[in-house]
Amino acid sequence: MAGRNGRTVRDLRRANRAAVLQRLFFDGPLSRYELGPVTGLSSGSVSNVVADLVADGLLEEAGSVDSDGGRPRTLLRVAPTSGHMIGVDVGETRVRIELFDLTLTELARAEHPLEQQRYEVEDIVGHIRDGITEVLGAAGVPPGRLLGVGIGVPGIVEHDPDRGAVVHGQTIGWDAVPLEALLRAGSTLPEAVPYFIDNGAKTLGQAEMWFGGGRGAGNAVVVLFGSGVGASLVTPDVEQGRAVEWGHLTVRVRGRRCRCGSLGCLEAYAGAESLLARWREEGGRPPADEEAALTAMLAAAYPPEGTAPDPVALAVLEETAEYLGAGLSDLINLFQPERILIGGWAALQLGSRFLPAVRRHATAYALRHPAEKVTVELGRLGPDAVTVGAAILPLADFFARGGRRPESAPEGPAPAWRTALAGRAPH
């Protein structure tokens, strides 16, 4: 039976379960008494919901605390082993697969290097399938325990009602690749285990907004700075986050050829791949491995005290900082974010040595008023941020369902995870 607002009793029960799970996930352990004020539920509703979640094995006791003159209050927390998620990062040098428990504690990981950054679809599908099998086997987790597999990929992701997630990855040569359908064909996972496939910059943004430097911000941009560059935007109007093809803004007419095929893209000047190419063109001799090459370039540009820097390496890095800062100024002017967070493997390597120059150029190129209100910082979650963000996708869906697996969810439309949690942690 539906109420005046169209919500049924089933919807209300699901929302109440979701509210309790969310608060215990982010703020637990908490007592039943504490859950009332933070969820807005009555004490009776809290007792009923907690009883249901304990019966389902989703909550467990976590000790007790003294109360004011009464009996000690039992603390509750999300039971870590009551569900598992897999996060996959289809990265620029390897495919990383990680298995997490319900509290996002890593249980196992597998890494499959990509030879010469080759993105043949069959190879990527094989790496993901094999990695899933490896991490489940290493942790002894049955496939049926999975709440879902989240995957971060380069490019634009569309969701086709017949084929599932379809990836348009121009920079890697993917044209409307039905990745979800390919993964399901011959998969060893049960049919009921869902796949959640999205842009890698967006999954990085998911992780930073839930657990990193974006937590508590209502308006932020999270930048992925690796071989190329991308960004994810989170605003009050787009709480679930939206990937933006920021790396393919034109920054120079008839400029350098970008790997997408166009001329003058930001990525042709600001990504690590282009940075190293420009150093090579000027006479530098970087190693073949991209991450090792960036390390060598940094060592050449910023040698130990008393040693002269390589002027070419230093000049290319300084030019890259200016292009990256100018690109950030476009984001500042367009979206006026509170925070910009820069993550990705290249950002981790360049680190705080590179950041002041980027920040300075971003401020110089942006309009004064929005530039005065934004902070530009490095991301806080390290190299696993994309896989953590990918794992958040099935976790958020699970929470939005009130802690019910897709195969056991009640009939009727479940609230979409995008309207509930996926952009940022509730606060």
Side-chain angles (χ1 to χ4, degrees):
M1 178 179 177
R4 292 182 179 179
N5 60 2
R7 300 182 74 193
T8 65
V9 172
R10 188 183 307 166
D11 293 334
L12 182 61
R13 185 180 301 119
R14 181 169 53 212
N16 290 349
R17 286 169 58 102
V20 170
L21 280 171
Q22 291 170 28
R23 286 280 55 92
L24 286 173
F25 179 84
F26 287 106
D27 301 326
L30 297 170
S31 68
R32 290 170 177 80
Y33 177 80
E34 293 170 308
L35 279 168
V38 296
T39 60
L41 301 178
S42 68
S43 59
S45 294
V46 168
S47 294
N48 290 335
V49 170
V50 166
D52 284 346
L53 293 172
V54 169
D56 290 344
L58 296 175
L59 301 185
E60 63 185 18
E61 294 185 359
S64 61
V65 292
D66 293 334
S67 61
D68 296 333
R71 292 184 302 173
R73 294 189 179 120
T74 300
L75 295 174
L76 300 162
R77 67 182 178 192
V78 173
T81 60
S82 57
H84 299 82
M85 301 80 62
I86 285 177
V88 179
D89 175 11
V90 180
E92 295 155 328
T93 60
R94 66 334 169 235
V95 177
R96 176 179 290 153
I97 304 96
E98 296 183 49
L99 174 68
F100 300 89
D101 67 19
L102 199 61
T103 60
L104 280 177
T105 298
E106 181 190 320
L107 303 179
R109 74 163 56 198
E111 297 211 5
H112 291 229
L114 298 179
E115 295 183 5
Q116 299 178 339
Q117 296 182 303
R118 297 174 62 185
Y119 285 91
E120 280 81 359
V121 175
E122 296 80 6
D123 291 344
I124 298 296
V125 170
H127 288 319
I128 295 173
R129 281 186 190 154
D130 292 346
I132 289 172
T133 300
E134 290 168 27
V135 296
L136 290 173
V141 174
R145 296 288 297 167
L146 283 178
L147 302 178
V149 178
I151 305 172
V153 296
I156 299 168
V157 180
E158 293 182 336
H159 295 275
D160 184 280
D162 298 318
R163 298 186 296 170
V166 176
V167 182
H168 304 268
Q170 190 167 323
T171 60
I172 61 173
W174 285 18
D175 183 14
V177 171
L179 183 59
E180 182 174 351
L182 292 173
L183 287 168
R184 288 198 177 280
S187 172
T188 58
L189 296 180
E191 186 66 26
V193 175
Y195 289 90
F196 300 83
I197 301 172
D198 220 321
N199 176 271
K202 182 174 173 181
T203 66
L204 170 68
Q206 297 275 1
E208 287 288 349
M209 296 304 290
W210 274 43
F211 303 114
R215 190 165 188 190
N219 190 335
V221 172
V222 182
V223 169
L224 177 59
F225 178 30
S227 295
V229 292
S232 175
L233 167 71
V234 180
T235 71
D237 297 327
V238 195
E239 288 196 15
Q240 75 276 12
R242 182 179 70 213
V244 290
E245 290 295 334
W246 172 61
H248 302 288
L249 291 175
T250 302
V251 295
R252 179 176 289 183
V253 176
R254 294 185 296 275
R256 292 177 63 87
R257 178 77 62 181
C258 178
R259 58 182 181 171
C260 76
S262 296
L263 296 175
C265 294
L266 174 64
E267 188 166 290
Y269 296 91
E273 182 178 293
S274 66
L275 186 158
L276 293 168
R278 294 190 340 267
W279 186 34
R280 192 178 296 110
E281 291 163 7
E282 297 294 329
R285 292 187 165 185
D289 178 79
E290 200 167 62
E291 296 187 27
L294 188 56
T295 300
M297 188 177 188
L298 281 169
Y302 305 108
E305 189 173 347
T307 305
D310 177 336
V312 174
L314 184 59
V316 172
L317 280 168
E318 289 177 343
E319 182 186 50
T320 301
E322 183 167 6
Y323 272 110
L324 189 60
L328 294 182
S329 75
D330 291 333
L331 297 175
I332 293 169
N333 290 342
L334 286 169
F335 305 116
Q336 301 177 31
E338 299 170 37
R339 302 176 199 173
I340 294 178
L341 300 167
I342 307 174
W345 69 265
L348 291 173
Q349 284 209 34
L350 294 170
S352 56
R353 185 186 295 274
F354 196 63
L355 187 62
V358 172
R359 192 185 285 128
R360 184 174 67 254
H361 290 303
T363 301
Y365 282 105
L367 292 170
R368 185 172 61 253
H369 181 68
E372 289 173 348
K373 295 180 176 295
V374 68
T375 60
V376 180
E377 303 292 344
L378 293 174
R380 298 181 186 174
L381 297 182
D384 294 338
V386 173
T387 48
V388 171
I392 286 173
L393 303 180
L395 177 62
D397 177 76
F398 181 66
F399 283 168
R401 292 176 179 275
R404 299 194 185 279
R405 296 171 182 269
E407 66 268 30
S408 61
E411 295 180 2
W417 63 267
R418 290 178 174 82
T419 62
L421 289 172
R424 57 188 177 188
H427 43 265

